[in-house]
Amino acid sequence: MPQPRTDSEGGALRIEIAEGQDVVQVRQRAREKAQAAGFTLTEVTKIVTAASELARNTLEHGGGGWAEVGVVATGVRRGVRMVFHDEGPGIADVDQALRDGFTTGGGLGLGLGGSRRLLSELTIDSVPGRGTTIVAVRWK
Amino acid sequence: MERIPILRMGDTLLVTVQVDMHDQLAVRLLDDLTEMITKARARGVLIDISALDMVDSFIGRMIGDVAATSRILDATTVVCGIQPAVAITLVELGMSLAGVRTALDVEKGMELLRAAAQD
């Protein structure tokens, strides 16, 4: 399987997530990259919304971290790839965390499960006590 | 401190959200609106989100909270101007904004509030 490459317009800059305003920055970056990849308005909106949910998780549950958003292409496919990383407490039960309504915070528990519905791929790599890395892709 | 302005027109409060809200700003709006409903003895709240190009679960919850809180304070909340792409995304996210009255635009929203006041 060919490795995704980050093309020129997709230079994935790292955005530090330390406060609420940084979540807005991640949303704006996701919008730019999704538009650059040629997604329709509805698709852009879905990508931006998922970016917002995942960035908020990094902040609220991970205690802060960083995000990278870039355009990817494999063969004829193009998409947007987003990585979210934190060194927080980690997710004890990933399957449970993906279930709608499950929350350890004060939210609705729609963040992870909802984001997975809005995107093509969502991979969660979490080690309790060490942190969480989420790789999310939406293909065209 | 950054705030979203709330306009008062008779017994109706009007909010037009024009910035990409971070969470604290959304929470502050809920607090300010709740206080204003009581202070101004408002019967209706109209929230125009036509300029919002994204509503995630946090902002969606805030909208639901405004609607529920205003109902307890004897005021009706109508949210208007939700963009089609935002509506599609909200449903896919798992939020149907149940319990929130919506209208296509400000004019229709005002009509809804007037009708609610006559009930």
Side-chain angles (χ1 to χ4, degrees):
Chain A
M1 203 179 112
Q3 282 297 307
R5 69 176 171 84
T6 303
D7 64 20
S8 54
E9 66 204 306
L13 242 89
R14 188 168 286 190
I15 304 167
E16 297 297 325
I17 302 174
E19 55 170 36
Q21 193 60 44
D22 298 332
V23 175
V24 176
Q25 290 291 326
V26 174
R27 294 207 286 250
Q28 285 165 358
R29 182 67 53 82
R31 179 171 301 278
E32 283 165 27
K33 296 299 177 189
Q35 282 168 344
F39 282 102
T40 65
L41 176 61
T42 301
E43 290 166 333
V44 170
T45 306
K46 288 180 183 181
I47 293 164
V48 173
T49 305
S52 184
E53 299 291 344
L54 296 171
R56 179 177 299 106
N57 281 351
T58 299
L59 180 65
E60 301 289 329
H61 301 293
W66 52 258
E68 281 177 0
V69 184
V71 177
V72 284
T74 51
V76 289
R77 283 208 303 183
R78 277 166 76 79
V80 166
R81 181 174 184 267
M82 307 188 280
V83 182
F84 297 86
H85 176 80
D86 69 64
E87 278 155 29
I91 302 169
D93 185 339
V94 170
D95 288 336
Q96 187 182 42
L98 278 164
R99 216 173 297 144
D100 278 352
F102 177 79
T103 177
T104 55
L108 297 169
L110 291 174
L112 269 185
S115 297
R116 189 166 63 166
R117 280 193 294 278
L118 294 172
L119 300 166
S120 314
E121 295 167 18
L122 189 86
T123 315
I124 301 172
D125 183 10
S126 187
V127 182
R130 296 275 296 280
T132 302
T133 302
I134 293 180
V135 180
V137 184
R138 170 91 189 195
W139 295 107
K140 278 193 78 178
Chain B
M1 195 160 63
E2 196 184 359
R3 279 204 141 80
I4 292 171
I6 301 171
L7 302 178
R8 184 182 165 187
M9 288 179 1
D11 58 4
T12 300
L13 303 179
L14 179 63
V15 180
T16 305
V17 183
Q18 281 175 323
V19 291
D20 197 348
M21 285 193 289
H22 56 84
D23 293 358
Q24 271 315 106
L25 194 57
V27 170
R28 209 171 288 149
L29 177 61
L30 170 63
D31 288 350
D32 289 351
L33 264 175
T34 308
E35 201 178 309
M36 277 280 274
I37 290 169
T38 320
K39 243 201 231 157
R41 305 184 74 81
R43 297 302 313 281
V45 178
L46 187 60
I47 305 176
D48 175 20
I49 60 167
S50 56
L52 276 193
D53 45 27
M54 185 229 57
V55 173
D56 63 7
S57 67
F58 192 89
I59 296 170
R61 179 169 66 135
M62 192 276 299
I63 290 170
D65 285 356
V66 170
T69 309
S70 70
R71 193 176 309 122
I72 294 170
L73 297 172
D74 196 25
T76 305
T77 294
V78 172
V79 176
C80 66
I82 300 177
Q83 292 179 17
V86 171
I88 293 169
T89 305
L90 269 174
V91 172
E92 201 161 322
L93 192 60
M95 289 205 92
S96 53
L97 292 185
V100 180
R101 303 182 84 161
T102 58
L104 277 182
D105 53 36
V106 172
E107 205 179 327
K108 292 230 163 59
M110 287 303 284
E111 275 172 28
L112 246 181
L113 282 179
R114 270 194 293 271
Q118 280 161 9
D119 283 347

